[in-house]
Amino acid sequence: MDRSTEIELIEELLGLHAQKAPFLDEQWTREPLERYSSPEIFAREREHIAATLPQIAAHSSALPAPDSYVTTEIAGRSILLTRDREGSAHAFLNVCRHRGATLVRGQKGCQLRFSCPYHGWTYSNTGDLVGVPHQKTGFPDLDRAALGLVAVPCQEYAGWIWLSLDTNCDIDIKAHLGALAGDMLAMRADEHQIFASDVRDINANWKILVEGGLEAYHFRVAHADSIAGLFPDNLSSYRCYGRHIRSILPRNTINSQADMPQDQWRIRDHANILYSLFPGSQFLVQSDHFIWIRGIPLGPDRTRLELTTLVPTTQNTEARRDYWRKNHEFTLLTLDEDFQFAEEIQSGLASGANAHLNFGRFEGALARFNRYVDDAIA
Ligand code: FES
Ligand SMILES: [Fe+2]
């Protein structure tokens, strides 16, 4: 964020803290339960959000060198990411053009060509069909150029590999991020390395998991055994940028800024900054590292989360190893507290106890996020 925004946000939080007042929306709202459980709504979200909008598929370091590759899954499709000899990233549907077998079964590696495990059709890492066993007899007039791998629009930007499954659109991540593009560049993901990554399959709708990060109302109670003591009760603020949200979750030490000259204010030292990039990635930025939370919706009541701690490359040293390890484990411990609530909310939906879920005026970011979902699937 630019310096004037940083100062404006700190001033806002100091003001709220002094008044002991939370950041409030106009009204509290209610969300119908079906948005978290309906297969029909989930199908629309998959079609119009997960399979349409640009999203992050991997950190750039997942393709560390020319000829490296990695596979991932988006909207139920297996995706093959490659880096070619010149260093450019590519994305393809990981499906053979002969009879549709999965082309690459492995997760990652380094190779120039990919041979289908079924009949051996072979593709280059730029997607060209370069080998067809018995082509002359079996496929006499086959046009190899028409049967390359199906390319998925892909762009490397700000240290991340982004793609969109909408093959009709030109991908433009700077435009997609809008006013948050500067924040994403300032995060300097390209100067960070993945320290550790864990995967959780959670029995909850993906939106419940996003919502869990958008308010500080639950900190004092839900995180009583972990982070509650570090944060003032129920104090956070947020701003929306297109469909993306930047939330500020100040720590108790935010108060120290009031006694310091403004030119020494630094928000990252006194607040967690949470970027919720619509639709699937959240970044929890802390003073010296950040966490990438990637949500992959698997079904109306099931979501895969990848939880990755990224640390500055210059500090990813043996001497700091224990420190980063403790940070990563503490993050997981805290998030696991959230995930337990998410699973309980999901299982409570069918109980008949509630017709709606209720979002208070200090939970306004949750309502905004849900309106962006509505807007995207309308
Ligand atoms: S399905 Fe891939 S070569 Fe036959
Ligand atoms: Fe939480």
Side-chain angles (χ1 to χ4, degrees):
M1 71 184 71
D2 59 42
R3 185 67 184 148
S4 61
T5 306
E6 184 171 13
I7 288 172
E8 179 192 319
L9 291 170
I10 292 176
E11 278 177 337
E12 178 176 74
L13 292 164
L14 286 174
L16 293 167
H17 199 274
Q19 294 162 34
K20 298 207 180 318
F23 182 87
L24 296 175
D25 265 45
E26 283 294 305
Q27 288 175 331
W28 66 281
T29 56
R30 306 194 303 172
E31 295 296 332
L33 299 193
E34 60 163 7
R35 64 184 304 115
Y36 303 104
S37 58
S38 155
E40 194 261 327
I41 290 175
F42 182 80
R44 279 164 55 206
E45 290 171 349
R46 176 159 276 194
E47 183 188 348
H48 297 289
I49 297 176
T52 302
L53 299 179
Q55 55 203 289
I56 294 174
H59 185 248
S60 286
S61 69
L63 296 175
D67 296 340
S68 52
Y69 73 89
V70 66
T71 56
T72 186
E73 187 193 310
I74 293 180
R77 279 88 152 168
S78 178
I79 305 291
L80 171 64
L81 302 174
T82 68
R83 194 179 293 288
D84 66 25
R85 276 277 145 91
E86 279 69 51
S88 297
H90 304 264
F92 305 100
L93 297 179
N94 185 19
V95 176
C96 178
R97 302 300 308 280
H98 172 221
R99 277 169 50 203
T102 297
L103 177 63
V104 180
R105 290 172 172 170
Q107 273 194 318
K108 61 179 177 178
C110 201
Q111 61 193 63
L112 179 60
R113 289 168 185 237
F114 301 94
S115 211
C116 178
Y118 203 176
H119 311 91
W121 283 31
T122 299
Y123 305 85
S124 72
N125 64 1
T126 51
D128 300 321
L129 176 60
V130 295
V132 176
H134 303 288
Q135 179 179 340
K136 276 199 184 124
T137 44
F139 304 92
D141 49 6
L142 178 113
D143 177 10
R144 284 191 184 188
L147 285 174
L149 294 176
V150 174
V152 171
C154 171
Q155 187 187 355
E156 200 158 10
Y157 183 83
W160 303 96
I161 296 164
W162 306 71
L163 57 78
S164 158
L165 292 179
D166 182 355
T167 48
N168 296 316
C169 87
D170 283 336
I171 192 162
D172 180 350
I173 298 306
K174 192 161 181 252
H176 170 69
L177 291 170
L180 274 191
D183 285 46
M184 287 303 292
L185 291 168
M187 216 188 292
R188 300 199 178 284
D190 54 340
E191 294 173 18
H192 285 65
Q193 289 179 338
I194 291 176
F195 174 78
S197 194
D198 281 78
V199 177
R200 297 273 197 276
D201 280 353
I202 312 282
N203 292 317
N205 185 273
W206 69 282
K207 299 187 294 296
I208 293 177
L209 292 163
V210 172
E211 290 166 6
L214 294 177
E215 44 89 0
Y217 185 33
H218 71 287
F219 283 14
R220 187 180 66 83
V221 185
H223 295 307
D225 296 331
S226 54
I227 56 168
L230 303 172
F231 293 86
D233 181 25
N234 196 19
L235 187 63
S236 64
S237 69
Y238 74 92
R239 299 270 193 289
C240 300
Y241 301 86
R243 290 176 182 150
H244 313 300
I245 301 173
R246 180 180 58 215
S247 307
I248 309 290
L249 308 152
R251 293 170 176 253
N252 290 329
T253 59
I254 192 84
N255 262 342
S256 67
Q257 302 289 276
D259 306 323
M260 287 172 70
Q262 221 177 56
D263 62 0
Q264 290 174 30
W265 287 8
R266 193 176 117 93
I267 199 163
R268 271 182 78 165
D269 289 346
H270 304 287
N272 287 0
I273 305 170
L274 180 79
Y275 294 97
S276 300
L277 293 193
F278 196 86
S281 277
Q282 291 181 298
F283 294 98
L284 183 60
V285 179
Q286 305 199 7
S287 63
D288 52 9
H289 70 289
F290 65 88
I291 295 120
W292 174 35
I293 303 169
R294 180 186 180 206
I296 303 170
L298 301 176
D301 56 358
R302 200 154 170 78
T303 305
R304 176 160 301 152
L305 290 179
E306 294 173 0
L307 311 159
T308 304
T309 293
L310 291 108
V311 305
T313 303
T314 53
Q315 301 207 26
N316 195 10
T317 59
E318 199 51 43
R320 300 278 279 167
R321 209 166 172 72
D322 276 358
Y323 173 76
W324 297 129
R325 167 70 45 203
K326 277 186 195 132
N327 267 283
H328 182 69
E329 284 170 1
F330 191 61
T331 301
L332 292 186
L333 176 99
T334 308
L335 290 174
D336 280 338
E337 291 172 344
D338 291 311
F339 302 156
Q340 183 178 349
F341 286 106
E343 291 195 329
E344 288 169 3
I345 292 168
Q346 190 74 38
S347 68
L349 295 176
S351 69
N354 290 308
H356 298 88
L357 301 185
N358 303 293
F359 297 162
R361 292 177 62 199
F362 32 68
E363 296 172 294
L366 286 72
R368 301 281 173 126
F369 164 68
N370 278 286
R371 297 296 72 74
Y372 298 148
V373 173
D374 291 346
D375 176 48
I377 66 174

